[in-house]
Amino acid sequence: MSANPGLLNFASEQPERPARGVAPSPPAFVFQPVSPERNPYGQDSPSDIGEMLLPDGSKFGLFSDPYAQQFFVKANEGVRNGQYWFNEKLTDGHFRDKEIKLLDLLATIRIATRSQIHRAINQGDVPEDDRSTVEFIKKCRRNGIICAFSWISPLQDDRKKPFVYALTQAGAQAAELLFQKKLPDKFWLQPIIFPPGRAPSMDVFFLDLIANELYSELVRIDRLVEWTRRPPIKIPNAQSNHYPYASFKVIKDKNDFKLFWIEVFRPTRDWVNKVVTRFQRTELAFNALPEYQRPSRILMIADGDSRVLALSELARKFMPSVEVRFTTDERILSGIGPDTFISYNTDKEQLVRISFPYLQPGFSGMTASEYYATLQPNFEDDEEV
């Protein structure tokens, strides 16, 4: 159930086809490999690293190392308990509230870190350093509902890597039972100890992790009402659909909702041409939709500030109909605030801050919780008839 390491790293799990009749021709200045003397990892790093480093020569972000490989943590933990736990639940039908929230979360966003789980299931009501989420996750691992993994890399980096959690097969069966939907096979993982050098790439997992950081922040500020991972968008006269990485809807105020698409850039070999192809397909998909179904903005998550100029120029040339706003790994990981969203101002030749007041903590409009409270049931009780 692991990700295919050969897939593209630009918000996609399937190879992209170039738009018909349009030959990619990005501006020549967009891509300049980073010189060896500016490589922060030294001469022992992979030979093609200059093609993928950020233009300012800084290190890869926590979720953007193109050489990272998946590594399961305690692969055998709880492996025999999952089916027993599931059969017990089938017998007594009793799921704890936190179990339901966790199953719902991972059935929606696929994988999550401890911090993301904490914010999503507690919705900001419990301090980040509270141990209850840690103990809950440990129990779920022992019960075989979820498994844990992280990653290894040939690049030397002192930062500690977080554990990442995903459903096991038993956890996925429980989620399907509770929420009456079929999960893709990629939504559950089978923990194993990989042979040396044979572990899957973390590329697609990194797409999930940084987008899910945004998800958990939108939940924390109580604005998120809908999140769909990889929604299919039909392109006329094309052999396949277009799949934005995700779409999400937030509430600004009563009866005022805003729809966004997310794209995620991760460094990869030949990334310029892959980005061009991706933008061309996005342009086609956007224009194929009725105006009321189009997103108000596309939010593009880049791997760092210095990548935004190139992505902005490519978007301007190959995706002219679409309004794009940028953010980066570090900006999202710092929490949603006034500095989260940016754009490149061509007149000033600099990054400028973009304000989305309704995506700020404490905005005065109706919250998601208040919206859901208006949907309370009002049933006719047959026994009272």
Side-chain angles (χ1 to χ4, degrees):
M1 300 300 118
S2 56
N4 184 335
L7 299 176
L8 296 190
N9 294 39
F10 190 76
S12 176
E13 291 184 359
Q14 296 178 355
E16 298 284 353
R17 296 183 177 90
R20 290 184 178 182
V22 181
S25 55
F29 76 90
V30 164
F31 175 65
Q32 295 291 334
V34 175
S35 59
E37 58 269 18
R38 296 179 62 208
N39 174 10
Y41 296 101
Q43 61 182 4
D44 294 332
S45 53
S47 58
D48 61 351
I49 194 170
E51 182 181 349
M52 292 179 279
L53 283 170
L54 282 155
D56 63 0
S58 58
K59 286 189 173 184
F60 295 116
L62 183 62
F63 300 142
S64 62
D65 179 350
Y67 305 102
Q69 292 184 311
Q70 186 184 23
F71 179 87
F72 279 104
V73 180
K74 296 183 179 180
N76 295 323
E77 183 177 30
V79 68
R80 297 184 179 182
N81 297 337
Q83 204 59 47
Y84 175 77
W85 172 88
F86 181 60
N87 290 336
E88 270 200 333
K89 295 298 179 181
L90 287 178
T91 301
D92 64 25
H94 178 63
F95 289 86
R96 291 180 171 83
D97 184 54
K98 274 193 173 182
E99 289 175 337
I100 295 172
K101 287 182 177 180
L102 178 64
L103 293 171
D104 178 40
L105 175 68
L106 295 179
T108 302
I109 66 174
R110 187 187 183 208
I111 61 174
T113 64
R114 177 201 55 79
S115 176
Q116 291 167 2
I117 291 172
H118 180 84
R119 280 171 283 165
I121 67 176
N122 295 298
Q123 294 188 318
D125 296 332
V126 182
E128 183 74 19
D129 59 357
D130 183 84
R131 292 285 302 175
S132 62
T133 301
V134 173
E135 297 304 320
F136 170 64
I137 288 174
K138 285 182 178 179
K139 184 175 181 179
C140 290
R141 288 176 65 185
R142 290 194 298 268
N143 287 339
I145 307 170
I146 59 175
C147 57
F149 66 94
S150 193
W151 62 92
I152 56 177
S153 173
L155 301 180
Q156 298 300 313
D157 196 324
D158 295 332
R159 289 174 299 183
K160 289 188 176 180
K161 303 172 180 64
F163 283 9
V164 183
Y165 301 98
L167 294 172
T168 61
Q169 187 174 25
Q173 289 175 310
E176 290 179 343
L177 174 68
L178 287 173
F179 303 110
Q180 292 296 293
K181 65 178 181 180
K182 176 66 177 173
L183 296 183
D185 287 343
K186 290 179 182 295
F187 272 59
W188 66 271
L189 300 179
Q190 177 63 55
I192 65 170
I193 300 173
F194 296 110
R198 303 301 299 168
S201 169
M202 281 292 295
D203 52 9
V204 175
F205 293 122
F206 282 156
L207 298 179
D208 287 319
L209 284 172
I210 192 56
N212 294 347
E213 190 67 26
L214 179 60
Y215 172 96
S216 61
E217 280 293 290
L218 293 172
V219 172
R220 181 182 67 83
I221 65 173
D222 203 11
R223 289 288 154 194
L224 185 67
V225 295
E226 183 180 297
W227 180 281
T228 305
R229 183 181 183 274
R230 304 193 71 248
I233 309 297
K234 178 64 178 176
I235 301 178
N237 303 318
Q239 297 179 353
S240 63
N241 293 330
H242 174 67
Y243 297 87
Y245 170 78
S247 70
F248 70 88
K249 186 183 293 183
V250 294
I251 185 167
K252 181 178 180 181
D253 208 342
K254 185 177 181 180
N255 297 323
D256 189 359
F257 301 91
K258 303 296 181 183
L259 177 66
F260 293 83
W261 286 356
I262 295 176
E263 292 295 345
V264 184
F265 172 86
R266 301 293 88 172
T268 183
R269 296 168 185 85
D270 193 31
W271 65 262
V272 174
N273 285 325
K274 292 174 182 177
V275 168
V276 168
T277 298
R278 183 71 178 176
F279 283 178
Q280 290 173 323
R281 290 181 61 83
T282 302
E283 174 80 4
L284 290 173
F286 181 87
N287 288 319
L289 290 171
E291 188 170 351
Y292 71 93
Q293 292 183 357
R294 294 174 181 174
S296 58
R297 301 285 189 278
I298 286 183
L299 294 182
M300 184 165 298
I301 306 174
D303 54 334
D305 282 1
S306 65
R307 190 82 70 182
V308 172
L309 170 59
L311 294 175
S312 180
E313 289 299 321
L314 291 172
R316 194 169 6 257
K317 181 169 184 179
F318 297 100
M319 203 166 52
S321 302
V322 183
E323 288 201 51
V324 184
R325 298 295 180 262
F326 294 90
T327 185
T328 66
D329 290 35
E330 292 304 318
R331 291 175 183 274
I332 294 177
L333 287 165
S334 297
I336 285 187
D339 296 321
T340 302
F341 303 105
I342 56 176
S343 183
Y344 186 81
N345 187 303
T346 53
D347 294 330
K348 297 181 179 179
E349 297 185 345
Q350 65 182 26
L351 297 178
V352 294
R353 187 171 65 185
I354 299 296
S355 176
F356 289 101
Y358 54 92
L359 296 184
Q360 303 293 324
F363 181 70
S364 59
M366 176 179 275
T367 65
S369 296
E370 291 168 341
Y371 165 70
Y372 287 127
T374 66
L375 307 180
Q376 294 300 314
N378 183 18
F379 301 130
E380 179 184 273
D381 191 337
D382 288 344
E383 294 182 358
E384 296 178 355
V385 176

